Amino acid sequence: MWITLFLVKIICFSMSQAVGGNNSFTTQKPLKCEDVLLHCTQSSLFWTRCYEERTAACELKRRIFGFSRQTVDSSLEGDMNPTSHHRIHIPSSAFKGAATTVMASVINSTYFKLSPPQKSRFQFHRREGTVLRGLVLAVKAVNMTENGEIIRNLLQPIMLFFKHNKKSSQITDGTCVFWQESDNGTGYWSVKGCKTNKTEDEFICSCDHLSFFAVLVNPEISVTNLEAEKLSYITYIGSALSVVFTFISLIVFIWLHRRCPEKATGLHMQLTGAMFSSTSASCCAVSGNG
């Protein structure tokens, strides 16, 4: 009898441990919102997917710089400012009228690893450039009435505002892009589904989906005084060499024309003379500008 009771206790204990172990594996304790990025980048190759899921349920007990969360519905439009340089406007009709929690956060662009360019129709929308301020704006939304389902497609585009300082950054152009992840954890910046408008102090992106967004810019090429001086020396040397060798060619053709006065030689002599005049004038102009 006691053997039977002993076996029953062992079986019950084993089952309780198995159930407890399964619960500890499947049930993930919510992280603090400020810890989500570090947790996902260290624990997952596809950290962007982890970041999407964890920010939807993270604990936000205090205001965090670069992170904002807001609930919107069909009667309320959303305006979020994760930082002073980033703003998001969400129309009330973007989320099918259901109560939706929107998360917006700013992430350093160094976390996004670019894949090598490929000649593929899938990368037709790929763009290259420098990320404005080195910051990426992540925007995600969760449907509160459908078990926290992540929303990806929108009924109406959202507006994203990226401020720039035209006086210091010397930005000539910019393109709104989103992060298209590849199968190996890398990815590329794509313009698909996004439109770009520029004002005096900000870029305005209109996008029909939610993702990790950025503005790729190409700053003007600035040349220092020392570099300009070096380029001037190269120009002087090149112009002088052109004049010297053109003059030598002219002397050779004159000599050939005197020894054997042919029409072809005469034409070459005239062309070389014209080139000599042109290069001499260019050399004088360069010297005058210098």
Side-chain angles (χ1 to χ4, degrees):
M1 182 68 182
W2 63 271
I3 296 177
T4 303
L5 294 174
F6 180 73
L7 292 174
V8 170
K9 289 182 179 180
I10 291 177
I11 294 172
C12 292
F13 178 77
S14 300
M15 292 179 63
S16 63
Q17 288 295 319
V19 173
N22 291 335
N23 287 338
S24 62
F25 178 77
T26 56
T27 304
Q28 295 180 339
K29 183 180 179 181
L31 293 170
K32 294 181 179 179
C33 292
E34 59 265 35
D35 298 332
V36 172
L37 180 61
L38 180 62
H39 168 79
C40 290
T41 53
Q42 290 182 348
S43 62
S44 175
L45 176 64
F46 302 97
W47 68 269
T48 54
R49 304 174 192 178
C50 170
Y51 190 81
E52 287 181 350
E53 297 174 357
R54 287 307 189 102
T55 51
C58 66
E59 294 181 353
L60 185 62
K61 295 183 178 180
R62 59 182 178 85
R63 181 174 177 80
I64 303 171
F65 176 78
F67 187 92
S68 181
R69 188 158 64 189
Q70 183 180 11
T71 300
V72 297
D73 56 28
S74 59
S75 62
L76 180 66
E77 294 189 344
D79 275 294
M80 307 172 72
N81 293 83
T83 72
S84 59
H85 298 110
H86 302 85
R87 181 169 69 89
I88 305 147
H89 176 74
I90 306 166
S92 58
S93 57
F95 301 118
K96 302 179 182 179
T100 304
T101 298
V102 183
M103 290 77 62
S105 57
V106 176
I107 304 172
N108 194 296
S109 61
T110 56
Y111 288 105
F112 298 82
K113 306 301 180 183
L114 289 172
S115 60
Q118 298 178 1
K119 293 182 179 179
S120 170
R121 62 185 181 89
F122 297 108
Q123 293 193 10
F124 175 76
H125 300 283
R126 177 171 181 152
R127 294 295 183 274
E128 304 288 343
T130 303
V131 176
L132 177 65
R133 299 183 184 274
L135 298 175
V136 177
L137 179 59
V139 185
K140 296 298 169 185
V142 174
N143 194 321
M144 302 302 295
T145 61
E146 296 185 11
N147 299 323
E149 179 185 356
I150 296 177
I151 298 175
R152 302 188 184 279
N153 298 318
L154 303 175
L155 296 180
Q156 188 173 346
I158 62 172
M159 308 296 292
L160 307 144
F161 301 84
F162 295 80
K163 286 189 177 181
H164 64 81
N165 189 339
K166 62 179 180 179
K167 294 182 179 180
S168 61
S169 59
Q170 298 180 337
I171 296 171
T172 59
D173 196 10
T175 304
C176 297
V177 293
F178 77 97
W179 182 249
Q180 180 67 58
E181 192 173 56
S182 303
D183 295 333
N184 58 356
T186 61
Y188 59 91
W189 297 110
S190 172
V191 297
K192 187 176 181 180
C194 289
K195 298 180 180 179
T196 307
N197 289 308
K198 182 185 177 184
T199 64
E200 292 185 356
D201 59 351
E202 64 185 2
F203 290 101
I204 305 174
C205 305
S206 175
C207 300
D208 60 6
H209 60 282
L210 301 179
S211 183
F212 298 84
F213 300 99
V215 174
L216 298 184
V217 295
N218 296 306
E220 291 180 348
I221 299 176
S222 59
V223 181
T224 63
N225 292 332
L226 180 60
E227 292 172 340
E229 187 176 357
K230 291 180 179 178
L231 292 173
S232 297
Y233 288 146
I234 294 173
T235 304
Y236 296 152
I237 294 172
S239 299
L241 289 175
S242 297
V243 172
V244 170
F245 286 109
T246 306
F247 179 75
I248 293 174
S249 300
L250 180 60
I251 296 299
V252 171
F253 282 119
I254 292 174
W255 178 76
L256 290 175
H257 185 67
R258 285 183 177 180
R259 291 198 60 181
C260 184
E262 294 182 357
K263 185 176 181 180
T265 305
L267 290 175
H268 282 89
M269 183 180 65
Q270 294 174 10
L271 289 173
T272 306
M275 290 178 60
F276 177 73
S277 301
S278 176
T279 52
S280 299
S282 300
C283 187
C284 293
V286 170
S287 302
N289 292 334

